[in-house]
Every structure is written in structure tokens, then in C-alpha cells.
């Protein structure tokens, strides 16, 4: 939870970047007091976005939505690791103890998708709370007072199903991220052990986690952009007003903003995922060793 809290401003910055192009296309101009049109939003990079949040909304606004993010972390991380190991053991290893790549792919995608499905309500609240400061600056009414109020309002307006708004792109993103994280870490670690003289220690764990963090960011960013936009869109009677589905969001984003719009927020995602992955895997492996369990 510590690394989750420390790196959280990068998550919020990433969300603002991913919504930025969407805002520009749906709110192109506003009228000033003289009646002439002026741009309401401008394109910002990662640093300007982060500094803009601090300047316009206050320093602690960088942690808007951190509470549901921690809830999500507890549910998601616990489920994905448990599911992956259960699936891995169920599919079986090779005679030399290695895990075939195709089985690692199946396990990573399945474990990530299933874990995210359970954690999706917390992710929905997190994304919507991350945009509250922006909405206040635009003169829009504040939707939520706190995390509990957010859950209550979503339940009141959309029922239980409303809590799983955007679950499909969320699950798709998690499947790709865990394909990059769990599958890459497992495969890279055993590849290093088999083809080098390195031992099963923190050096090997660090190298494998570095690979997994980069691959996760590359595979997961496009799905993360789609997930963020679908979850943040306004709704009426439980239906999104901007996008019909994750595929519709993907097609509209590429058509209006170009292919590279799918990689908005890549730098903060990678900057957050790299230390998170390194810290998590090195710590997790050491906890397993201390507990007397076999290495992951």
C-alpha cells in the first residue's frame, strides 16, 4: 500500500492525460465575456499536467481517489496472484520445473481478467474521483463528497450493475497488463535462471521485474485509455452517452485523435509501473522465502 500511495500522483496524471483529448473534442470552445471563442483546454504533457493540477487545484489534489485505489489494490493484487498460481499448478509444469510460455500466457490473461472483474467497482470510483477537481474548475457540480458517497450515488443511480460500468475494457486492460506482468516476470525469471549463472535471488527478481514493468506498460496503455474514457463518460439510464462499447471508444479515439492517442499517459504509467513492479516482486519473493514457500 505504501508504494501505491507514493506513486499515486502518476496514476492521477495519467488519467487526466487520457481524458484530455476527449475533452478537447467534446468541448472545443467556450464564449468569453466579449463573445469571441477561446479554447477552454490546451494539450499538456505529463509534467505540465501534474504541475497544472497542483497550481489549479492544490497539492493534495494529486491524491484525489487514493482511498478507492487502495481498496482496489487489496482486492486485485490478492486475487491475481492467487488465481495465477492456482491456474499454473492446474495446467502443470514441464519435467524440468519450467512453465511453458503458452500456459503462462493463458494463466496471466485469465488471472488478471478475473481479478479485475472483482475489483472493477473500486476502479470505477477511483477514475471518477480523479476527475472531480477538473469538473470543479469547469464550473460543473461536484458529484461525490468522499469514497462512501461515491459508492452510494452510483448504486442509487445505476443499481448493482452501475458499479460494474466499464468492466469490459477494465477486464481487457487487466488481462493485457497481467500478460505483461505475471507472464513476463515468470518467463523472464526462469529464462535467466536457466541461461545464466545468476541465482534465484533479488538480482534475478529485479531483472525479471524490470522486464515485466516495461512490457505491462506497452501492452496495457491502449486498453487503459479506453477503460478510463468509458468509465468517466456521462450516463443516462445506465447507458453511456459518448461510447456504446469499448470497441466504439477505441474506434472513435483513433479516428478523431490518431493511433498514438491510445498511448496517452504512457510515460506516467511506465514511471509508476516500473518502481511498483520492482518493489512488489522483490518484496513478494522475500516474503515467500521467509514464510518457507517456494519461489514464485
Amino acid at each position: 500500500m505504501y508504494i501505491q500511495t507514493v506513486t499515486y500522483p502518476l496514476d492521477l496524471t495519467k488519467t487526466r492525460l487520457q481524458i484530455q483529448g476527449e475533452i478537447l473534442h467534446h468541448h472545443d470552445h467556450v464564449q468569453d465575456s466579449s463573445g469571441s471563442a477561446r479554447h477552454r483546454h490546451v494539450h499538456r504533457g505529463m509534467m505540465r499536467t501534474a504541475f497544472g493540477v497542483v497550481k489549479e487545484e492544490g497539492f493534495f489534489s494529486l491524491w484525489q481517489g487514493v482511498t478507492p485505489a487502495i481498496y482496489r489494490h487489496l482486492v486485485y493484487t490478492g486475487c491475481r496472484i492467487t488465481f495465477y498460481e492456482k491456474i499454473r499448478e492446474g495446467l502443470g509444469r514441464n519435467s524440468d520445473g519450467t512453465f511453458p510460455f503458452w500456459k503462462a500466457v493463458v494463466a496471466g490473461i485469465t488471472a488478471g481478467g478475473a481479478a479485475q472483474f472483482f475489483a472493477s467497482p473500486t476502479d470505477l470510483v477511483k477514475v471518477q474521483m480523479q476527475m472531480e477537481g477538473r469538473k470543479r474548475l469547469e464550473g460543473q457540480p461536484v458529484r461525490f463528497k468522499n469514497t462512501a458517497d461515491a459508492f452510494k450515488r452510483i448504486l442509487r443511480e445505476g443499481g448493482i450493475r452501475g458499479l460494474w460500468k466499464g468492466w469490459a475494457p477494465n477486464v481487457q486492460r487487466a488481462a493485457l497488463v497481467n500478460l505483461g506482468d505475471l507472464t513476463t516476470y515468470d518467463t523472464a525469471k526462469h529464462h535467466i535462471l536457466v541461461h545464466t549463472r545468476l541465482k534465484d535471488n533479488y538480482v534475478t527478481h529485479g531483472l525479471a521485474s524490470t522486464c515485466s514493468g516495461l512490457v505491462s506498460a506497452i501492452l496495457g496503455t491502449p486498453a487503459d485509455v479506453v477503460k478510463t474514457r468509458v468509465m468517466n463518460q456521462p450516463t443516462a439510464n445506465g447507458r453511456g452517452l459518448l461510447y456504446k462499447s469499448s470497441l466504439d471508444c477505441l474506434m472513435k479515439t483513433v479516428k478523431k485523435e490518431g493511433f498514438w492517442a491510445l498511448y496517452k499517459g504512457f510515460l506516467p504509467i511506465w514511471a509508476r509501473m516500473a518502481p511498483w513492479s520492482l518493489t512488489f516482486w522483490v518484496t513478494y519473493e522475500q516474503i515467500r522465502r521467509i514464510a518457507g514457500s517456494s519461489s514464485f
Side-chain angles (χ1 to χ4, degrees):
M1 287 192 291
Y2 174 75
I3 191 68
Q4 177 80 13
T5 304
V6 170
T7 61
Y8 184 77
L10 290 168
D11 193 341
L12 183 136
T13 301
K14 172 264 298 182
T15 298
R16 295 293 182 89
L17 283 169
Q18 291 172 341
I19 294 295
Q20 186 173 256
E22 178 185 63
I23 292 175
L24 282 164
H25 278 281
H26 288 282
H27 305 283
D28 286 315
H29 299 83
V30 294
Q31 297 294 320
D32 60 19
S33 58
S34 63
S36 61
R38 61 180 174 85
H39 283 288
R40 188 174 187 176
H41 301 278
V42 295
H43 279 294
R44 291 175 172 175
M46 182 179 79
M47 298 305 295
R48 288 187 64 194
T49 297
F51 284 124
V53 170
V54 173
K55 180 180 179 180
E56 297 167 358
E57 304 168 39
F59 178 73
F60 290 105
S61 292
L62 289 172
W63 278 270
Q64 289 177 111
V66 70
T67 300
I70 291 174
Y71 294 161
R72 183 246 182 201
H73 171 67
L74 293 173
V75 175
Y76 172 70
T77 302
C79 287
R80 76 184 186 112
I81 295 295
T82 302
F83 292 165
Y84 184 85
E85 293 205 63
K86 293 295 183 182
I87 295 170
R88 182 173 65 178
E89 295 310 314
L91 292 175
R93 296 176 180 269
N94 291 330
S95 56
D96 60 358
T98 59
F99 193 48
F101 179 70
W102 73 268
K103 291 183 179 180
V105 169
V106 171
I109 290 176
T110 306
Q116 185 56 62
F117 179 79
F118 288 112
S120 194
T122 57
D123 219 9
L124 172 65
V125 172
K126 182 199 76 171
V127 168
Q128 294 200 358
M129 289 187 72
Q130 286 178 333
M131 294 303 297
E132 284 300 280
R134 182 77 257 169
K135 288 181 177 294
R136 276 194 293 269
L137 288 177
E138 294 171 354
Q140 298 183 39
V142 176
R143 293 178 292 183
F144 319 117
K145 297 177 182 177
N146 50 45
T147 302
D149 185 50
F151 276 112
K152 290 177 183 177
R153 177 164 180 172
I154 292 171
L155 274 171
R156 186 169 61 250
E157 294 180 352
I160 294 294
R161 290 183 62 184
L163 290 172
W164 269 267
K165 170 188 170 185
W167 72 267
N170 216 1
V171 167
Q172 292 160 5
R173 170 198 171 274
L176 291 171
V177 167
N178 281 277
L179 172 61
D181 188 27
L182 294 173
T183 302
T184 301
Y185 179 81
D186 198 7
T187 303
K189 174 187 166 184
H190 288 95
H191 187 82
I192 291 170
L193 292 174
V194 171
H195 297 285
T196 71
R197 296 182 179 181
L198 293 176
K199 303 297 182 182
D200 190 358
N201 55 27
Y202 67 91
V203 176
T204 300
H205 304 157
L207 290 173
S209 67
T210 300
C211 296
S212 68
L214 177 59
V215 176
S216 293
I218 293 172
L219 292 179
T221 300
D224 199 46
V225 170
V226 172
K227 176 214 72 169
T228 298
R229 293 188 173 196
V230 169
M231 283 187 155
N232 189 65
Q233 69 174 323
T235 59
N237 299 320
R239 294 183 177 275
L241 299 179
L242 301 180
Y243 312 112
K244 298 176 182 178
S245 64
S246 55
L247 180 60
D248 182 49
C249 178
L250 175 70
M251 299 300 292
K252 284 181 177 178
T253 299
V254 173
K255 182 178 179 180
K256 294 178 180 179
E257 302 170 51
F259 173 79
W260 293 110
L262 296 175
Y263 278 89
K264 284 185 175 181
F266 174 78
L267 285 179
I269 286 177
W270 187 24
R272 183 171 187 253
M273 198 168 283
W276 190 96
S277 183
L278 177 64
T279 303
F280 172 78
W281 284 114
V282 172
T283 303
Y284 181 63
E285 291 278 20
Q286 292 304 307
I287 291 173
R288 290 177 68 97
R289 182 182 63 80
I290 293 170
S293 300
S294 60
S295 175
F296 185 83

